[in-house]
Structure formats: C-alpha cells, structure tokens
Amino acid sequence: MGSKYYDIDAILTDAQKIPCTFEVDVAGLGYLDGNDNNDMKAGTKLELPLWLAEVLAVSERLGTETFIHTNLPHALSAPVMNALKANPLSVNLRELAMHFYALGERMVNLVEDAEEELVDTLSDTFRQRVIEIADHAVNPRGALGEGSDFLNGLEESERQVFRAAHDSSKAMKGWRAEKK
Amino acid sequence: MDMALPHQHLTPQEVAFICESELITIVPRQRLDALNLISINTRPLVPPQRAEVPLWLAVFLRKQKRCNIVPPDWLTVDNLDRLVKEESVSAAFSQMPWRWMEVAEILLDACPDDLNGPADIALHIRTLRELRQAKIRAGLADQINSSYIKINNLGLMEVCEIRPWVGKVVDGLRKIEGETGSAAARKRKEEADEDEDEDMYDDDL
C-alpha cells in the first residue's frame, strides 16, 4: 500500500464488505459466521471486509485452491452496471458504496471474468458524471432545486471533484469581485 | 487547513500577481530617474516619450496620476468585437494573448480612463469569457480521459481555473482504469499488435 497507509479513503475502502464463499473447512473460524467454538464449513457464504477477503482470496493453500471465492458486491453487480450503462446520472452511487470507484478498482483484481467490461463501465460512468458535477459546482441551481438528488448521490471521490471545481470557480468570482 | 498550507494550485490572485511583471507601455507625465529594481532596471522616464515598464509599476504610477497607460493593441472595442464574433462562429478557441483575462481585468480596474470605451471592453471581455467557458465544458465532455487533454489557445487564468478539478478527474480515471487501461488504449494496442502480426506474415512470404 505504501503511500496509501494514512489515506483515510483507502482505509474506508478496505472496510467495505464483500460477499464471499468459503471453499474449504477452516478450523475455529466459525465465530465469523456467528456460531462460536465451531469450524467454518466449506460452502458457507458471508460478507467479509475487503482487506480480509483480498488476502484470503489470493492466498493459496496446499497447491491450487484458495480459501474463499469472492463474488461481486451488490454495488458492482450486473443490474447496477446495466443501470449505469443506461444512464450514469440516475444512479445514487453513495447509497451503493461510499467509495464506489475505489471498490471497483480493487474488485477488478479479484474477479476473473468481465474485467474489461467492468473497467469500461466504471470509467464511462465517471467521465459522464464529472462533467455534470462540474456544471453543478460552477452554476449552482439552488440548494433544494434541480439536481440535488444527483448531488446527494455522489460518492466520495466525486465529492472531491465537486469541491475542487466549486472552490476554483468561487475563487475566480472572488477575484473578479475585488477588481470591481 | 486550507489557510495554513500553501495552495496546491495557483489562485486567481497569484496568477494576476505573476501577470504584473509583464511589460506595458506608458506615457509618463512626470520625469523620473532610472529605477534599479530587482527584476528590471527602468530607463529614465521623460514625458512625453513612451516607455516600457512592468505592469505593477505602471499601475502604481497611474494611481498617483504620474503616467497614462497605453493599452495593448488587442484591448480595443473593435478587436474584441471581432474576437467575440470569431469565438461564437468557430468551434476552436480564437487566439488570445496568454494573459488576456488578467491584463484586461487589471487595466479595467486601474485605468478605465486610458481605455477607449471601457464599458464596451468590459462587456466584450465578459462575453468572451462566457463563450470560452461553454467551449471548455463541451471540449472536456467530449474528450476527457486518463492520458491527456488537448485544448489549444487557452489563457493562463483559464487553465488555472479548470486545473484543480480536471487534475482530480484524470487521476481518478487512471486509478479506475489501472492495469486494464481504457477501452481506447486497448483498441490502439490491439491494432498495433495486429499490424505487427501482419508484418511478420509478410516476412514469412
């Protein structure tokens, strides 16, 4: 992780839950699933935080099998991706995941299939949404007016873009005002 | 925290401050001996001979009514009129001086009386800015991506205005696309590989 060690957004991304399926029995790990003093059975499905899922999914045990198999979280599931393809502006990303793109970026490395499609959908979504975000940041149309639903649905990195665009446009207005 | 740390990007005030070391022509009203400044040694000012001095000095002398500023050639109603027309017809950005916005604002503020038709000039500058902002928006919507963005003929102030957020977007896209790369980049690579394959095939023949 290196430079990301103190990055609060990276830490919060790590904490997001991923649906996982155990592929092998693990002794004494039953407490993760809520039953103490039991072993984790193969085939158990549960949600694990990304930092744990990542390690278990890639670490190999005695040859080829891994501890768990990861599935895409709801935020990156096919229905959501289809909705994003249809209209990137209509989806509330914040409700799906606070760090939506960061989650996608990490999950791409864990799923084998449809990797390119996932990346393309995410990058198209981001591209189209940021232009809209910049519009709202530069020309506010009232706090409760048009577009407030969209702005409430921004995930974290989109909010940072909004803030940057808003601040620079505000600085410009301030500079022009002091000249008058 | 914003206040305590230096800004990551130039603020409009900083851009305007840098602009003030540009040279501008003045007509002095009073004699003034040569000044040995850190950035420049001015020649003695002798009215009514024109002289070139840094913009900040010109503004300073103008405020004390010791000189008149000769506005640059492009800052006239006729020329701006032409630029506004050009800007609204053409899809490309019309050629403006690198520091057009700063120079115009500073001169409109410091010496409206030295300009010919300051109200019209202010209006045209405003119109130009709005037209160009709309074009910047359209241009970015069209081509923003993780590798590069090309927009010709933007002024320094315009670049500084979009840089903070466009930089974040480009970074974000680069993270999202990661090792997979953008669809466009993959396509280019595939085509390049195909060409290579064909070349090898030719060699075999």
Side-chain angles (χ1 to χ4, degrees):
Chain A
M1 291 292 111
S3 62
K4 282 189 183 169
Y5 192 83
Y6 292 108
D7 181 353
I8 189 70
D9 292 319
I11 294 168
L12 290 170
T13 306
D14 264 339
Q16 300 189 87
K17 297 275 180 80
I18 308 296
C20 303
T21 315
F22 271 80
E23 306 234 312
V24 291
D25 291 335
V26 186
L29 214 60
Y31 68 89
L32 283 180
D33 202 19
N35 45 357
D36 292 342
N37 311 322
N38 274 326
D39 296 347
M40 178 67 78
K41 297 274 184 297
T44 314
K45 288 184 180 177
L46 78 166
E47 298 215 315
L48 294 177
L50 184 56
W51 60 267
L52 181 56
E54 219 168 31
V55 174
L56 292 179
V58 293
S59 57
E60 290 177 2
R61 193 195 69 128
L62 302 177
T64 53
E65 56 183 342
T66 56
F67 283 102
I68 59 168
H69 176 77
T70 52
N71 300 308
L72 282 176
H74 171 63
L76 300 171
S77 61
V80 174
M81 288 298 123
N82 287 335
L84 285 175
K85 276 183 214 159
N87 183 2
L89 305 184
S90 67
V91 182
N92 185 331
L93 292 186
R94 199 173 186 80
E95 221 162 59
L96 291 169
M98 275 271 279
H99 298 82
F100 180 78
Y101 299 107
L103 180 65
E105 181 196 324
R106 299 276 288 275
M107 285 310 291
V108 163
N109 300 324
L110 293 182
V111 294
E112 293 88 22
D113 48 341
E115 171 188 321
E116 292 185 355
E117 203 190 337
L118 187 64
V119 168
D120 290 350
T121 312
L122 290 182
S123 107
D124 281 346
T125 303
F126 190 56
R127 273 207 299 256
Q128 291 186 44
R129 286 170 67 102
V130 288
I131 297 297
E132 185 76 9
I133 291 166
D135 278 355
H136 281 290
V138 175
N139 301 311
R141 296 167 216 170
L144 295 169
E146 183 192 345
S148 64
D149 282 348
F150 172 67
L151 292 178
N152 284 333
L154 299 188
E155 60 89 77
E156 206 50 41
S157 65
E158 290 176 336
R159 283 201 171 184
Q160 288 170 13
V161 170
F162 180 88
R163 198 186 172 91
H166 179 76
D167 285 352
S168 79
S169 135
K170 196 171 133 196
M172 275 298 280
K173 280 188 192 124
W175 171 67
R176 288 163 70 88
E178 77 191 30
K179 284 279 160 208
K180 289 287 126 51
Chain B
M1 204 165 78
D2 271 355
M3 297 304 289
L5 291 169
H7 292 276
Q8 239 181 325
H9 304 278
L10 290 179
T11 63
Q13 282 83 358
E14 285 162 346
V15 175
F17 178 80
I18 298 166
C19 174
E20 288 184 358
S21 56
E22 295 279 293
L23 294 179
I24 192 156
T25 310
I26 58 166
V27 181
R29 291 194 203 172
Q30 282 184 352
R31 298 177 76 91
L32 182 69
D33 288 341
L35 295 174
N36 296 326
L37 304 171
I38 293 174
S39 59
I40 193 171
N41 294 329
T42 64
R43 286 186 301 174
L45 301 181
V46 184
Q49 288 173 19
R50 296 189 168 200
E52 289 218 315
V53 296
L55 184 53
W56 64 266
L57 183 61
V59 170
F60 181 74
L61 293 175
R62 180 69 182 80
K63 278 192 181 140
Q64 301 178 344
K65 300 199 170 65
R66 291 175 204 274
C67 79
N68 285 92
I69 295 178
V70 180
D73 295 341
W74 56 270
L75 197 62
T76 60
V77 177
D78 286 347
N79 187 45
L80 291 176
D81 216 26
R82 183 183 63 78
L83 284 169
V84 167
K85 287 206 182 89
E86 195 182 306
E87 197 77 67
S88 49
V89 176
S90 140
F93 289 86
S94 50
Q95 287 225 337
M96 295 290 282
W98 173 234
R99 305 181 188 278
W100 68 275
M101 211 191 288
E102 307 90 292
V103 171
E105 290 286 347
I106 290 171
L107 291 186
L108 279 168
D109 181 47
C111 58
D113 298 344
D114 292 348
L115 301 172
N116 207 345
D120 285 342
I121 288 179
L123 186 70
H124 282 326
I125 291 287
R126 213 187 154 80
T127 316
L128 270 177
R129 173 164 156 73
E130 278 163 13
L131 285 170
R132 289 165 73 95
Q133 264 190 317
K135 274 191 206 174
I136 293 172
R137 190 227 173 253
L140 288 177
D142 199 34
Q143 60 156 351
I144 201 160
N145 63 55
S146 59
S147 46
Y148 78 102
I149 293 162
K150 179 174 176 173
I151 306 177
N152 286 340
N153 286 331
L154 278 194
L156 176 58
M157 193 63 98
E158 290 164 304
V159 173
C160 286
E161 191 186 4
I162 60 170
R163 181 180 281 153
W165 68 270
V166 171
K168 274 193 196 306
V169 171
V170 173
D171 272 355
L173 281 172
R174 201 160 41 216
K175 277 188 209 152
I176 290 168
E177 287 168 4
E179 287 163 18
T180 315
S182 66
R186 281 203 308 275
K187 202 172 159 218
R188 273 200 303 277
K189 190 165 177 295
E190 263 168 38
E191 280 168 6
D193 289 349
E194 269 171 30
D195 287 350
E196 218 164 77
D197 291 348
E198 277 168 25
D199 289 348
M200 283 165 67
Y201 188 60
D202 288 346
D203 288 346
D204 287 347
L205 284 175

